């Protein structure tokens, strides 16, 4: 009798030993493969087909999608409190003078007002969202670089990564925008704050959880608003951000420093540097995007929400250039932690699934 087909399949990976990173320079490719020993046993894929090795069955795109999603979710989870601090700082720009000028002061203020939970409002949604977002970004970058390597005359690795970053930033923006809209509104709320009619105090709604927040937006602003409110400013931010992000990391990968740092340290350091590099030039855009997306409008209200152009003009009038850099310190701390962890997880998983270089 034929045995039933395994729907999901089982993989046991044993005796995995690698001495080299995938893309690092000054290392003989044949030597990499020779010194990377994999032993696969009991492999059964969808439909029951056998396989000689995981890296022969997973395409680079699928491997990048999986590695990116796992790395993105873990990275955003461990760095989330710093993102909350930055968001709370951004939404008070130009509204009151109570925001602490120091990172330590901001941490103390949130802890006193909201407790530990105040640092993690919206974290579950964001981790799930980042898993999808990073899967899209890394897979799109990988597909673009592979296509350019095969069908274009571009020889520069950095230029190919720049183009891959531009396309991945554009494509992922359509997921980033609604995920961050809900994240920002969850982070901006202050459950311990007393509502009043003072025009200088920012008013935020109180949501039970991420689902309650999404339901409120759909009910009062519409499903289209959930998907598109802040989309254009998100695209404006994401395109240069990920062009810089992937190009900087890719360039560092192919330097002699990568070899000296080794298997585990290089992705951590290069990921942190890439995170800083993407945020320095685009942070002012992020401030404007946060203020645009935190705006709410109840059903049948005639309240007009400011556009990103109007917000930009208002910020400059009230605070000058400095207003566009409020909350930068926690954002940079978050970027270093998040992207160091993201790239470390990504490289480890890609070395298991796709040990050969695609470049």
């Amino acid at each position: 009798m034929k045995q039933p087909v395994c729907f999901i399949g089982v993989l046991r990976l044993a005796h995995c030993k690698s001495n080299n990173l995938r893309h690092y320079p000054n290392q003989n490719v044949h030597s990499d493969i020779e010194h990377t020993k994999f032993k696969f046993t009991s492999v059964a894929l969808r439909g029951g087909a056998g396989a000689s090795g995981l890296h022969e069955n997973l395409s680079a795109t699928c491997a990048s999608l999986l590695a990116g999603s796992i790395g993105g979710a873990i990275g955003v989870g461990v760095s989330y409190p710093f993102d909350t601090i930055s968001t709370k700082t951004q939404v008070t720009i130009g509204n009151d003078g109570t925001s602490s000028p120091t990172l330590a002061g901001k941490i103390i203020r949130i802890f006193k007002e909201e407790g530990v939970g105040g640092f993690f409002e919206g974290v579950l949604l964001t981790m799930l969202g980042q898993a999808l977002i990073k899967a899209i970004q890394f897979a799109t970058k990988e597909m673009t670089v592979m296509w350019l390597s095969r069908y274009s005359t571009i020889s520069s690795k950095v230029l190919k990564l720049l183009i891959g970053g531009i396309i991945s930033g554009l494509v992922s923006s359509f997921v980033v925008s609604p995920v961050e809209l809900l994240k920002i509104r969850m982070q901006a709320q202050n459950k311990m704050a007393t509502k009043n009619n003072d025009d200088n105090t920012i008013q935020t709604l109180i949501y039970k959880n991420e689902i309650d927040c999404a339901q409120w937006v759909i009910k009062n602003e519409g499903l289209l608003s959930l998907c598109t409110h802040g989309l254009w400013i998100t695209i404006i931010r994401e395109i240069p951000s990920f062009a810089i992000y992937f190009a900087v990391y890719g360039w560092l990968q192919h330097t002699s420093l990568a070899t000296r740092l080794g298997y585990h340290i290089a992705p951590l350091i290069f990921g942190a540097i890439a995170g800083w590099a993407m945020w320095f030039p685009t942070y002012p855009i992020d401030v404007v995007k946060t203020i645009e997306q935190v705006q709410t409008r109840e059903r049948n209200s005639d309240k007009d929400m400011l556009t990103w152009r109007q917000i930009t003009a208002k910020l400059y009038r009230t605070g000058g250039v400095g207003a566009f850099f409020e909350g930068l310190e926690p954002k940079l701390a978050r970027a270093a932690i998040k992207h160091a962890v993201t790239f470390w997880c990504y490289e480890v998983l890609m070395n298991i699934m796709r040990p050969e270089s695609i470049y």
Side-chain angles (χ1 to χ4, degrees), residues 186-243:
M186 289 293 295
Q187 290 175 324
Q189 65 184 347
N190 185 343
K191 294 182 177 179
M192 299 297 292
T194 302
K195 291 186 177 181
N196 55 56
N197 296 319
D198 187 353
D199 292 336
N200 291 323
T201 302
I202 189 153
Q203 299 295 317
T204 62
L205 294 164
I206 303 301
Y207 309 103
K208 297 176 183 177
N209 49 47
E210 295 90 335
I211 296 176
D212 181 49
C213 182
Q215 289 175 336
W216 190 96
V217 173
I218 294 171
K219 178 182 177 180
N220 290 275
E221 301 174 22
L223 179 61
L224 183 63
S225 179
L226 174 64
C227 299
T228 63
H229 182 40
L231 176 60
W232 283 111
I233 192 67
T234 300
I235 292 173
I236 293 171
R237 184 196 69 180
E238 293 294 278
I239 288 177
S241 288
F242 283 93

Side-chain angles (χ1 to χ4, degrees), residues 68 126 128-138 168 172 175-177 179-180 238 242:
T126 307
L128 294 174
Q130 275 295 314
L132 177 59
I133 290 165
K134 280 293 180 284
I136 293 171
Q137 289 169 345
F138 278 89
S168 69
S172 64
V175 180
V176 171
S177 183
V179 169
E180 291 201 349
E238 293 294 278
F242 283 93

Side-chain angles (χ1 to χ4, degrees), residues 301-335:
S301 171
D302 58 356
K303 173 185 175 182
D304 290 327
M305 291 193 286
L306 299 177
T307 66
W308 64 268
R309 294 182 183 87
Q310 292 171 324
I311 293 168
T312 302
K314 180 181 178 181
L315 281 174
Y316 185 75
R317 286 196 307 269
T318 57
V321 175
F324 294 94
F325 292 93
E326 287 287 342
L328 178 61
E329 302 94 331
K331 185 68 79 174
L332 291 179
R334 175 247 192 186

Side-chain angles (χ1 to χ4, degrees), residues 229-260:
H229 182 40
L231 176 60
W232 283 111
I233 192 67
T234 300
I235 292 173
I236 293 171
R237 184 196 69 180
E238 293 294 278
I239 288 177
S241 288
F242 283 93
I244 295 169
Y245 183 66
F246 287 122
V248 168
Y249 185 84
W251 174 73
L252 289 169
Q253 271 188 314
H254 290 86
T255 63
S256 59
L257 179 61
T259 305
R260 293 198 296 269

Side-chain angles (χ1 to χ4, degrees), residues 113-153:
E113 292 180 350
E114 303 176 62
V116 175
F119 294 96
F120 292 94
E121 291 288 352
V123 66
L124 179 59
L125 168 72
T126 307
M127 288 184 69
L128 294 174
Q130 275 295 314
L132 177 59
I133 290 165
K134 280 293 180 284
I136 293 171
Q137 289 169 345
F138 278 89
T140 301
K141 180 268 296 182
E142 201 85 355
M143 284 190 294
T144 303
V145 171
M146 288 177 65
W147 189 93
L148 292 172
S149 298
R150 292 172 183 174
Y151 302 110
S152 77
T153 58

